[in-house]
Amino acid sequence: MLKISNYINGQLVAPVSGSYLENVNPAEGKVYSYLPDSDARDVEAAVVAAQTAFQSWSQMPLAKRAAILLKIADLIDRDLDQLALAESVDQGKPVKLAKSVDIPRASANIRFFATASMHVAAESHLMEGEAINYTTRTPIGVAGCISPWNLPLYLFTWKIAPALASGCTVVAKPSELTPMTAFLFSKLCVEAGLPAGVLNIIHGLGKKVGQAIVEHPLIPAISFTGGTVTGKTIAATAAPMFKKLSLELGGKNPNIIFADCDFEEAIATSINSSFSNQGEICLCGSRILVEHSLYDRFVNEFIKRTQALPVGDPLSETTRLGALISEGHMQKVLSYIELAKQEGGTIACGGERVKVAGRCESGYFAAPTVITGLPQTCRTNQEEIFGPVVTIMPFDAEEEVIAFANSTAYGLSATIWTNDLKRAHRVAHQLKSGIIWINCWLLRDLRTPFGGMKQSGVGREGGWEAMRFFTEAKNVCVKL
Ligand code: NAD
């Protein structure tokens, strides 16, 4: 069975411990490869390599640095089919989704930041007749990048690309649940001629490898995407060391449907925003709030379309929902459905594990689930489930729905469906979420700030925000 390697100082290497962890194909519920059970020793070797490489990488002419990154992006496109298949097998998502979204976005991330790096300009402030200030931005050093399992290569590249394009070198850790495409990516880096030590990928557990990266005194910046609880641990470790932190955390996003919306568009997009990637996207709208006069019609149609969604083998072209990431996660999702029942909710459809015949009979599948009749304050409506489960609640007034939408500890994204232009802007302005979509969902311009308020995160990724994060500003004041 395949053993995944770490990527340190340009080499594909075994972990110092010699130990490996099992990597499970969630659609089959079976181990299909092994990943390094790395520890602080591997992280140490990676940091030494990254520090050594920093000198030349940070000083390499921009165009040359960008050319190497663009070559990696081209190789991702060349290997689209192979990478999409690997992502689907490793993560459980439909291969069709991996091919149309995850992998194309990975190369787009790299291309976006590689080219952006050539457009960076320094700021200058003139003090009339007195002095001129200019501000330089230099790469911060070795960056630590830690990513989750839901969009593996997509989010891995979203983190490392701005770091590398800014001139940082990187020690990165993909999720232990989805190491495969980062491993294949490391091979592409070798093929593209990325200099040794510029990017180092260490596989293993969060508590060992992730923690060692966050604790390392020679890593001054940590870019993390994952759960809010992990984010708190990382912040507690990094804050006393005065590290720069970018935290992209969980969400419990409202999807607000006013009665004057384009019904067909709202319902079709809401099916996507609820169940894409099995609901395992931080931006999924898990609380659907529908204006009373449209409520019955919306709920009936939404249930009908949810029940028609094919759940099954991720490798089938017709599958819309594949497997959940792990048995543990599937149990967590199912336990929230039980909780919803205890809290007085009605399971309008779904609510159970799905048994898929054949190859996938032991896989971790759950039916897309719609729950009605719950109060806003219950745990089901307050906590992130991160699976194919949505609640639908009615509302009467605009102020009421704004209060409902803002009632959780999270503030990542929100969607508003209405044809009333003034109301759309008014509501958007009052929602405490970092990302608002009006009459659309997941329409992403990579130049825009990306991130959440409240417990959904600290800082923003995307465009210049990400490039600024990986650089230090220095102001030079020259007396005239
Ligand atoms: P997680 O927090 O369990 O793990 C994320 C990463 O952190 C993994 O690589 C893990 O190994 C590592 N890690 C775990 N403990 C660590 C520690 N103590 N120190 C350092 N690293 C550690 O999250 P997950 O279950 O992989 O991902 C799901 C979560 O990610 C959800 O909450 C989801 O909302 C969130 N998410 C947020 C965004 C966003 O952009 N805001 C995007 C995708 C996912």
Side-chain angles (χ1 to χ4, degrees), residues 29 56 91 95 98 100 180-182 189 196 219 246 257 326 351 368 371 376-377 380 395 439 456 471:
S56 55
Q91 206 274 347
V95 67
S100 58
M180 190 57 82
T181 47
C189 292
I219 299 183
S246 169
I257 322 271
S326 65
I371 305 171
Q376 302 291 333
T377 49
T380 308
F395 70 88
N439 298 329
S456 287
T471 55

Side-chain angles (χ1 to χ4, degrees), residues 147 149 173 176 206 210-211 224-227 230 249-250 282 384 450:
S147 51
W149 50 257
K173 192 200 103 57
E176 58 273 35
Q211 187 71 20
F224 169 79
T225 298
T230 315
L249 309 176
C282 55
E384 186 185 48
F450 179 90

Side-chain angles (χ1 to χ4, degrees), residues 371-384:
I371 305 171
T372 57
L374 284 172
Q376 302 291 333
T377 49
C378 68
R379 281 183 55 206
T380 308
N381 267 330
Q382 293 289 317
E383 298 175 14
E384 186 185 48

Side-chain angles (χ1 to χ4, degrees), residues 52-115:
T52 309
F54 180 70
Q55 185 72 9
S56 55
W57 182 250
S58 60
Q59 287 172 17
M60 188 180 277
L62 287 178
K64 192 170 170 202
R65 208 155 70 197
I68 297 172
L69 295 174
L70 290 171
K71 171 86 177 144
I72 297 173
D74 289 345
L75 294 178
I76 293 176
D77 289 348
R78 183 198 68 189
D79 290 356
L80 171 68
D81 289 345
Q82 185 203 358
L83 288 164
L85 179 62
E87 202 71 294
S88 170
V89 170
D90 214 26
Q91 206 274 347
K93 68 180 65 209
V95 67
K96 201 171 167 184
L97 185 71
K99 203 167 166 180
S100 58
V101 176
D102 293 71
I103 307 306
R105 176 60 190 276
S107 57
N109 286 338
I110 294 180
R111 236 171 239 127
F112 176 80
F113 286 108
T115 49

Side-chain angles (χ1 to χ4, degrees), residues 146-151 155 158 173-177 204-214 224-231 233-234 237 247-251 280-283 325 329 332 384 386 410 412 435 450-452 456-457 461:
I146 302 174
S147 51
W149 50 257
N150 63 322
L151 300 165
L155 288 175
W158 179 237
K173 192 200 103 57
S175 170
E176 58 273 35
L177 297 175
L205 300 171
K207 287 200 165 80
K208 279 194 203 174
V209 178
Q211 187 71 20
I213 290 174
V214 177
F224 169 79
T225 298
T228 294
V229 173
T230 315
T233 309
I234 289 176
T237 308
L247 302 175
E248 296 295 337
L249 309 176
E280 296 167 327
I281 302 181
C282 55
L283 304 165
I325 183 66
H329 189 60
K332 178 189 150 184
E384 186 185 48
F386 213 55
Y410 296 104
L412 188 53
I435 303 154
F450 179 90
S456 287
E461 297 185 324

Side-chain angles (χ1 to χ4, degrees), residues 123-128 131-135 475-477:
E123 283 174 29
S124 161
H125 298 88
L126 182 65
M127 298 166 76
E128 213 56 64
I132 186 161
N133 296 274
Y134 63 89
T135 309
N475 190 65
V476 180
C477 178

